[in-house]
Amino acid sequence: MAQNDTVKLIGSWASPFSIRARAALHLKSVKYEYSDEPDSLNIVQYIDEAWSSGPSILPSHPVERANARFWALFIDEKIFGSLEAVGGAKDDEGRMAAAGKLMENLAILEEAFQKSSKGLGFFGGENIGFLDLACGTLLGPVSVIEAFSGVKFLRQETTPGLIQWAEKFRAHEAVKPYMPTPEEFVAFAKKKFNVE
């Protein structure tokens, strides 16, 4: 893509998927025009391939790249699916079953984080990468579900690595300007769903 072409990003300020794309553009030092409407993780892959500025977002090794895509799919399908099941449960029994599945999936992700981060802070090591962007967008929805359900899903005893990672991710210069606080996510959800 030519350096003087204008990049237009369409998203929603509270969308976990928009946050992925905005942070990826920041990592690549790409200036863009933002329009607040709906968006995907495919955008992050495109940004990484289209701009060579900044660090690589996807791992360069094919096996590591496939592994990152696998875990991103796990996040999108299993964890976001579990979050939706908790939020959409019709009764306490359904909510408890969905909450148990969410905790199980977060424990699996914790194990994946421990293996892939090698104690260096992010899923890919020392720098934010593809999987961090995929996972970071869980933080808002998890905050909302925790606030509405009264259940803490990210716990020191079961997901200590993810808790430390979340703090580091939220504070990263490529994420902080775009990531609403947990309180802002909760206020947005209360307004959207007309909940006091």
Side-chain angles (χ1 to χ4, degrees):
M1 178 167 232
Q3 292 292 2
N4 57 1
D5 287 349
T6 301
V7 175
K8 294 179 182 174
L9 176 64
I10 298 171
S12 172
W13 78 270
S15 166
F17 308 108
S18 290
I19 294 165
R20 286 176 179 169
R22 293 182 86 182
L25 286 166
H26 185 104
L27 284 170
K28 291 294 190 172
S29 301
V30 175
K31 297 199 182 316
Y32 61 94
E33 180 184 314
Y34 181 73
S35 178
D36 204 36
E37 297 173 34
D39 63 291
S40 165
L41 198 47
N42 292 331
I43 294 170
V44 173
Q45 292 180 59
Y46 172 75
I47 290 167
D48 194 39
E49 292 170 8
W51 288 278
S52 59
S53 59
S56 180
I57 295 172
L58 276 160
S60 58
H61 191 277
V63 172
E64 291 173 4
R65 193 167 46 250
N67 194 41
R69 287 182 174 137
F70 168 83
W71 285 108
L73 188 61
F74 177 85
I75 290 164
D76 283 355
E77 291 183 358
K78 300 295 186 180
I79 297 185
F80 273 111
S82 296
L83 282 165
E84 289 174 10
V86 172
K90 302 291 182 211
D91 55 32
D92 287 341
E93 184 179 332
R95 193 171 296 102
M96 292 304 291
K101 190 66 176 169
L102 176 56
M103 286 192 230
E104 180 182 314
N105 287 332
L106 287 170
I108 292 168
L109 187 60
E110 169 73 18
E111 187 176 328
F113 172 74
Q114 295 294 344
K115 287 179 183 175
S116 68
S117 70
K118 300 176 179 88
L120 296 175
F122 293 109
F123 277 92
E126 294 179 348
N127 299 310
I128 274 188
F130 183 73
L131 197 46
D132 298 291
L133 295 173
C135 190
T137 55
L138 286 172
L139 299 176
V142 167
S143 299
V144 170
I145 294 294
E146 286 180 342
F148 283 16
S149 70
V151 177
K152 196 80 170 143
F153 293 102
L154 291 177
R155 302 176 183 180
Q156 192 61 42
E157 60 273 8
T158 56
T159 56
L162 289 176
I163 290 171
Q164 288 179 336
W165 166 85
E167 291 173 14
K168 195 168 183 173
F169 180 81
R170 280 188 181 112
H172 193 281
E173 67 172 9
V175 176
K176 191 172 183 174
Y178 314 112
M179 175 74 84
T181 66
E183 295 78 19
E184 289 170 325
F185 274 117
V186 171
F188 175 78
K190 284 181 177 180
K191 184 177 179 182
K192 180 178 180 177
F193 299 114
N194 200 22
V195 176
E196 286 299 316

